[in-house]
Amino acid sequence: MYSDKVMDNFKNPQNMGEMENPDGVGTVGNPVCGDMLKIFLRIKDNIIVDAKIQTFGCVAAIATSSITTQMAIGMTLEQAKELTRQHVADALDGLPPQKMHCSNLAADALHKAIEDYESKQN
Amino acid sequence: MAYFDNANSTRVDERVIEAMMPYFTEFYGTAGMELSHSRDVGAVTGLENARRILAESLNADPRTIIFTSGATESNNIAIRGTALANKDRGRHIITTPIETQSVLRSCERLAGAGYEITYLNVDEYGQIDLDELKTSIREDTILVSIQHANGEIGTMQPIDEIVRITSERDIMFHTDATHSYLRVPINTEQMMANLITFDGHLIHAPKGVGALYIRRKTRLKRMHEGGDEERRLRPGVENIPAAVGFGKAVEIWGDGDNKYLLSLRKYMEEKIASSLTEYKLTGHPENRVPHIYSIVAEYIEGESILVQLDMEGFAISTGSACSSKTLQGSHILKAIGLPPEISHGSIRASFSRFNTKEEIDDFVEVLIPSIERLREFSPLRRGVYFANEEDDGHHDHDLPKDDW
């Protein structure tokens, strides 16, 4: 069963959608598996000032997408790099065991977006 | 608020519950001996009456019907029972990839014990090709098991023709009629199958009771050892109240029921066709059972639709991987050739006599915006599919280990 926090983030997911001219983009998963996340970041002075996310996936995928953007906004890049699937799952008061991979996806997408940003800086 | 998951299970009809009650409180003996006390006599009378009703519904003799715990058990007895009974005649079995797990895994178990299984191809609608069946038959073929109707996409197989082919060659034919029973007529005087599986909980009888029709002279090895119940083919004290309920459920199935179910499905089809885009119906357009409506909707995933609809009081089902215990997608949608990213968006609505058109109106009013909402933030919306584009090393669907 899903926690209340998961259900809230499913009913009213935050920061869903696209971003114009994102500073970093990260895509993980693929539709073949049934989960796909695409996260967009706005970064200023090493801080994530805005994040948007698109999700194709189940309740857990949508909830982890929503919570990850909320957690990421306001973080420095270093802090965001430390974000793990456990942090995401904890922020949602836990996920059913077979859905933990969704929280992994969300954290991965964030890291990929940061990597994307950093690779563009050089 | 409405329950549209009747192909999963059904509400037990009040009349069925009423018919069952005396078998809990009064006739609570067993059906072993006719010449026993009144509690037993009442029980055996009830059981045999139910058996007679089921037999009549197939135009068969009551001695052809045995009660089981459900379709799974009936399928196991039918498939493994005939395979073992006929092993000296041959070890080749023909079936399809869209059968239920109890059929598929029974075949797999036999494959592990020296039998050979051929899985016929199915087309985009899930139908088999009769010519392919004919050419698949060998000297050592002993059994063909092909479902009458599919519970996910509703497609019906041409079992009249199939049984003509098998009986010509003296091959046993088994059909799982769980989803077709009562919805279409099955006349065992004309459709000469050897074995037919059917189950109570899909027709407003309780769970835990099913039946197996066994044509006279069909050789069968029993799966369990025990007393003399069910002609020793399925020993064990029968679930008499449930069997009585099963009989009652069959008795009350009305002539108008199937017409009504069809009208509900057609209504759902129309309403959705007029307001939803980018989806398609699955299963055969004509050769299908009346009560199952199934689609695949693009860009969205089934579990999120299911949960959203549940929040609004509607029950449907999906074949998406995310919604299954094992994170495996529907093997049926895979067999009919749907790419996984499409089959994740599968939605099935299945009707019963308790559903109404008003419920369908309410449902569609909620379904369309629910799908729209999910499509709004789906990365697939712009038609961008990139399967395995990047290395997805971390993306493993690590299922929790069952270490009990």
Side-chain angles (χ1 to χ4, degrees):
Chain A
M1 306 294 96
Y2 285 125
S3 70
D4 287 341
K5 279 243 175 78
V6 169
M7 292 307 286
D8 284 339
N9 276 277
F10 173 66
K11 278 185 252 189
N12 297 304
Q14 301 298 302
N15 307 309
M16 307 303 287
E18 285 176 294
M19 182 187 281
E20 268 190 46
N21 305 315
D23 297 313
V25 179
T27 307
V28 288
N30 67 65
V32 172
C33 281
D35 305 297
M36 210 181 96
L37 274 56
K38 189 171 183 183
I39 197 169
F40 307 84
L41 300 177
R42 174 92 57 235
I43 297 167
K44 260 198 169 72
D45 300 327
N46 215 43
I47 295 177
I48 298 172
V49 296
D50 198 15
K52 286 263 187 294
I53 192 162
Q54 289 178 318
T55 310
F56 164 77
C58 61
V59 172
I62 293 168
T64 52
S65 296
S66 162
I67 201 79
T68 301
T69 57
Q70 291 171 68
M71 292 168 84
I73 292 172
M75 277 189 170
T76 63
L77 296 183
E78 280 63 45
Q79 287 170 329
K81 283 183 198 173
E82 304 283 293
L83 198 74
T84 65
R85 66 146 101 176
Q86 199 55 55
H87 294 136
V88 174
D90 290 344
L92 290 169
D93 291 340
L95 285 171
Q98 73 269 36
K99 297 290 187 176
M100 282 301 286
H101 75 272
C102 296
S103 56
N104 208 20
L105 275 189
D108 277 0
L110 179 62
H111 298 153
K112 269 198 163 164
I114 295 171
E115 263 167 50
D116 178 49
Y117 166 76
E118 288 182 333
S119 70
K120 293 202 283 229
Q121 301 311 299
N122 305 329
Chain B
M1 294 271 316
Y3 181 79
F4 291 125
D5 201 16
N6 292 283
N8 167 46
S9 196
T10 60
R11 184 172 119 198
V12 179
D13 195 292
E14 296 293 334
R15 296 167 282 179
V16 168
I17 297 174
E18 203 186 310
M20 288 169 64
M21 286 310 285
Y23 296 86
F24 291 117
T25 55
E26 212 179 317
F27 309 120
Y28 47 80
T30 57
M33 309 193 305
E34 274 166 23
L35 309 171
S36 180
H37 50 70
S38 60
R39 302 278 184 264
D40 275 359
V41 171
V44 72
T45 307
L47 184 72
E48 293 312 314
N49 187 47
R51 192 189 313 276
R52 183 189 52 76
I53 293 170
L54 264 53
E56 271 167 22
S57 74
L58 298 175
N59 197 16
D61 184 289
R63 287 168 290 187
T64 60
I65 306 291
I66 61 167
F67 286 104
T68 66
S69 61
T72 290
E73 189 187 350
S74 298
N75 286 335
N76 269 265
I77 295 172
I79 293 169
R80 292 168 49 219
T82 26
L84 294 173
N86 287 284
K87 68 178 191 299
D88 295 329
R89 292 176 57 209
R91 308 273 173 105
H92 180 236
I93 295 169
I94 299 174
T95 188
T96 79
I98 62 168
E99 303 293 320
T100 60
Q101 293 294 5
S102 55
V103 170
L104 294 174
R105 287 176 173 163
S106 293
C107 290
E108 275 164 41
R109 182 161 166 175
L110 290 167
Y115 289 75
E116 241 183 275
I117 320 290
T118 294
Y119 298 90
L120 298 174
N121 290 307
V122 294
D123 64 15
E124 65 193 295
Y125 300 125
Q127 287 210 304
I128 61 136
D129 182 315
L130 291 164
D131 289 327
E132 193 193 337
L133 170 63
K134 284 189 202 140
T135 55
S136 302
I137 288 174
R138 311 182 330 201
E139 276 304 307
D140 62 333
T141 306
I142 48 167
L143 173 67
V144 171
S145 176
I146 295 176
Q147 62 187 207
H148 193 187
N150 187 273
E152 205 168 312
I153 58 176
T155 300
M156 294 190 59
Q157 303 298 337
I159 61 169
D160 290 297
E161 284 91 337
I162 294 171
V163 75
R164 259 177 243 131
I165 294 168
T166 55
S167 54
E168 241 170 50
R169 296 159 167 83
D170 207 23
I171 295 168
M172 304 288 108
F173 176 57
H174 163 249
T175 185
D176 183 348
T178 301
H179 293 282
S180 62
Y181 179 60
L182 298 185
R183 316 201 189 258
V184 294
I186 298 174
N187 183 345
T188 56
E189 289 286 301
Q190 289 166 0
M191 195 283 294
M192 323 270 280
N194 297 88
L195 302 141
I196 304 172
T197 292
F198 47 121
D199 201 316
H201 76 101
L202 292 165
I203 54 159
H204 309 291
K207 296 169 186 57
V209 66
L212 181 64
Y213 161 88
I214 306 166
R215 180 170 291 271
R216 191 176 185 197
K217 306 259 197 253
T218 299
R219 289 194 294 168
L220 200 64
K221 270 226 157 13
R222 67 179 153 273
M223 293 290 103
H224 291 108
E225 296 306 330
D228 300 329
E229 296 87 359
E230 303 305 299
R231 291 166 45 227
R232 295 194 70 199
L233 287 171
R234 196 277 187 173
V237 173
E238 298 94 338
N239 186 344
I240 292 166
V244 167
F246 196 174
K248 189 67 182 177
V250 173
E251 207 177 69
I252 62 176
W253 194 273
D255 288 331
D257 272 335
N258 294 324
K259 269 217 195 76
Y260 182 60
L261 293 173
L262 183 66
S263 75
L264 290 177
R265 193 189 91 227
K266 293 271 178 208
Y267 188 64
M268 171 87 80
E269 251 175 59
E270 279 161 31
K271 290 232 69 173
I272 291 185
S274 66
S275 35
L276 184 64
T277 58
E278 289 156 314
Y279 77 99
K280 66 174 195 171
L281 299 170
T282 51
H284 199 279
E286 279 103 38
N287 302 337
R288 60 182 304 117
V289 283
H291 63 300
I292 295 177
Y293 171 83
S294 62
I295 62 171
V296 283
E298 296 203 57
Y299 317 131
I300 55 126
E301 186 278 333
E303 192 219 70
S304 37
I305 279 287
L306 188 156
V307 171
Q308 175 130 19
L309 289 170
D310 176 51
M311 287 181 340
E312 309 271 359
F314 296 101
I316 50 102
S317 86
T318 174
S320 97
C322 299
S323 68
S324 88
K325 247 190 226 163
T326 53
L327 300 181
Q328 295 291 316
S330 155
H331 62 283
I332 288 139
L333 298 179
K334 185 172 173 194
I336 64 173
L338 284 181
E341 59 268 28
I342 304 280
S343 57
H344 289 307
S346 80
I347 297 169
R348 177 190 72 182
S350 43
F351 309 103
S352 84
R353 68 168 70 107
F354 299 114
N355 292 124
T356 65
K357 287 205 167 124
E358 288 72 37
E359 284 176 342
I360 295 175
D361 287 332
D362 294 341
F363 173 74
V364 176
E365 245 177 69
V366 168
L367 177 73
I368 308 300
S370 299
I371 291 180
E372 267 316 301
R373 177 182 94 103
L374 293 171
R375 283 178 170 172
E376 265 304 302
F377 52 71
S378 167
L380 304 178
R381 188 87 212 239
R382 312 270 171 262
V384 177
Y385 285 160
F386 30 109
N388 288 319
E389 206 198 56
E390 282 133 2
D391 174 50
D392 241 338
H394 299 294
H395 189 198
D396 65 298
H397 291 210
D398 44 354
L399 273 174
K401 283 197 187 24
D402 182 3
D403 57 358
W404 181 248

